[in-house]
Amino acid sequence: MTDAITAAEFTAGEGIGEWRVLRRSAVARFTTGSFTRGVRLVSRIGALAEAANHHPDVDLRYGTVTVRTWSHDVGGLSARDLALAREISMAARELDVAADPAGVKDVTIGIDAIVGPEVQQFWQALLGHDAQLSRGGNDAAAPLSDPDGRLPVVWFQQSDERREQRNRIHLDVWVPYDQAEQRVAAVVAAGGRLVTDEFAPSWWVLADAEGNEACVCTWQGEF
C-alpha cells in the first residue's frame, strides 16, 4: 500500500491555496516581513513536522520563509505532504503571514550528452552532487542533486549527435502552473523568442536574442 498522490490530487486539496507543485514536490513561499516573524513561523513548522514525523525543507531569509515538502519513499507527493501543507498554511494564517504563490520557482540544468555516463561522472565530481535513482531504477546517467538541496539539479538529455548551432546546456525554470503563460509572455516581451509550445502546458521552449534556449516548465502533463 502507498499513500502516493498525483500533482493534480494535491492541487485539488482543500486548505492549501498557498502551495504550488514544482517538479515532484510542493512549495510555499511566505512573506514574513522580518526575520523574527520568520523564526516564529519556522518554529511552528518544526513542531508540526515533528508531530507528523514528516520533515520538509525550510529556507529562512530576512523577509521570507520558503517550504518544500515531498516524500522520499514514494519519489514524489503523498497524502502526508498534503496533510502537512494544510497544517503549515493554517499556522501561517494564525500568525497573519501572507503567502506569495507567484514567487515560487525552481531551476534545473539540462545537459545534452552523447556519452551520458562519462559526462555525468565529470559533473558529479565537479559539483559534489549525489546521483539520484531513476524511477526505472537503472539509469547510468541519472540526475545529480545537491546533498543540501540548495543548488540546482543537473540532468542529462540523451543526444545522438553534437548540436553545433545551439546550446547544449540549458536551464529549466519551473514555475507554478498558473504563472507559466505570464512568464512566457514576459520573456517574449523582454526580447525572447518562443521556439515551440508543442509540449505546453508541460513546457515551453524559448530562446534569447542569440539563440540560447531555456524552458519554462510546470507539473502539468508530467504526472
Side-chain angles (χ1 to χ4, degrees):
M1 294 294 292
T2 176
D3 64 344
I5 60 175
T6 65
E9 289 172 329
F10 181 94
T11 301
E14 296 182 359
I16 48 89
E18 296 83 356
W19 296 77
R20 295 293 184 272
V21 175
L22 296 183
R23 295 193 289 137
R24 302 190 181 280
S25 61
V27 184
R29 183 177 187 266
F30 299 98
T31 53
T32 58
S34 72
F35 193 80
T36 301
R37 205 174 183 196
V39 169
R40 286 200 294 268
L41 177 59
V42 170
S43 179
R44 290 286 297 275
I45 293 171
L48 292 169
E50 281 297 300
N53 193 28
H54 192 54
H55 304 95
D57 295 329
V58 182
D59 181 54
L60 169 64
R61 304 287 169 149
Y62 173 78
T64 62
V65 171
T66 303
V67 189
R68 179 188 300 273
T69 181
W70 70 296
S71 299
H72 296 256
D73 58 334
V74 302
L77 292 167
S78 73
R80 287 162 286 162
D81 298 298
L82 180 58
L84 182 61
R86 185 179 292 117
E87 291 186 340
I88 291 173
S89 288
M90 188 179 301
R93 295 185 201 112
E94 291 173 354
L95 292 172
D96 197 25
V97 173
D100 177 25
V104 171
K105 59 182 177 293
D106 197 4
V107 174
T108 61
I109 299 173
I111 299 177
D112 291 342
I114 299 174
V115 287
E118 289 88 343
V119 172
Q120 183 221 43
Q121 291 169 15
F122 168 87
W123 288 97
Q124 185 171 5
L126 179 68
L127 297 170
H129 278 21
D130 294 330
Q132 299 179 356
L133 292 177
S134 68
R135 281 177 290 172
N138 183 22
D139 185 355
L144 303 175
S145 62
D146 176 17
D148 296 325
R150 294 181 297 106
L151 301 179
V153 167
V154 178
W155 64 280
F156 304 90
Q157 180 169 273
Q158 184 63 47
S159 297
D160 297 324
E161 58 184 12
R162 295 186 183 277
R163 298 175 176 178
E164 302 297 342
Q165 301 303 317
R166 56 183 290 194
N167 55 313
R168 297 179 62 200
I169 297 178
H170 73 274
L171 299 183
D172 289 331
V173 181
W174 293 79
V175 301
Y177 68 94
D178 54 355
Q179 297 291 322
E181 292 187 6
Q182 181 179 339
R183 183 65 61 91
V184 170
V187 171
V188 172
R193 173 173 58 89
L194 177 63
V195 176
T196 181
D197 58 2
E198 175 186 357
F199 307 102
S202 186
W203 74 89
W204 291 254
V205 182
L206 300 130
D208 66 16
E210 294 191 357
N212 299 301
E213 295 182 0
C215 295
V216 171
C217 308
T218 78
W219 64 264
Q220 290 187 326
E222 285 292 302
F223 62 106

